[in-house]
Amino acid sequence: MEKQLPRTPLNPEVIAEMVLDKAIRDFRKEKIEKAIDHSLKIRNKEEFMRLTEELKNIN
C-alpha cells in the first residue's frame, strides 16, 4: 500500500510564482529552440553548440 504524504495547502502566491516560473522557462526554451533552428540553417556550429548547452541547462 502506498504511503501518502500529509497535504498542506499551497499559498496562492506560491502557486502564482510556480506558474510564472514555468511560463518563463517555456518561453526561454522556445526562443532557444528557434535560435538553434536558425544556427542550423546558417550552418553556425559554434552558435549551435552554445545554444544546445544553454537548452540543456534549462530545468
Side-chain angles (χ1 to χ4, degrees):
M1 186 170 179
E2 279 186 46
K3 235 183 189 181
Q4 290 190 359
L5 296 174
R7 291 187 179 210
T8 56
L10 288 176
N11 184 331
E13 289 85 13
V14 173
I15 294 170
E17 188 174 335
M18 290 168 65
V19 169
L20 286 173
D21 286 346
K22 171 110 171 69
I24 291 168
R25 260 194 326 275
D26 290 349
F27 176 79
R28 284 184 61 220
K29 185 177 176 184
E30 184 178 336
K31 192 172 177 182
I32 293 169
E33 287 170 344
K34 285 180 182 180
I36 288 172
D37 289 344
H38 180 71
S39 70
L40 287 170
K41 184 177 180 181
I42 64 170
R43 297 177 185 252
N44 184 337
K45 183 178 179 180
E46 292 80 21
E47 186 72 358
F48 171 80
M49 297 303 288
R50 184 186 71 74
L51 290 165
T52 53
E53 275 304 311
E54 189 175 335
L55 185 60
K56 283 189 230 177
N57 292 326
I58 294 178
N59 295 329

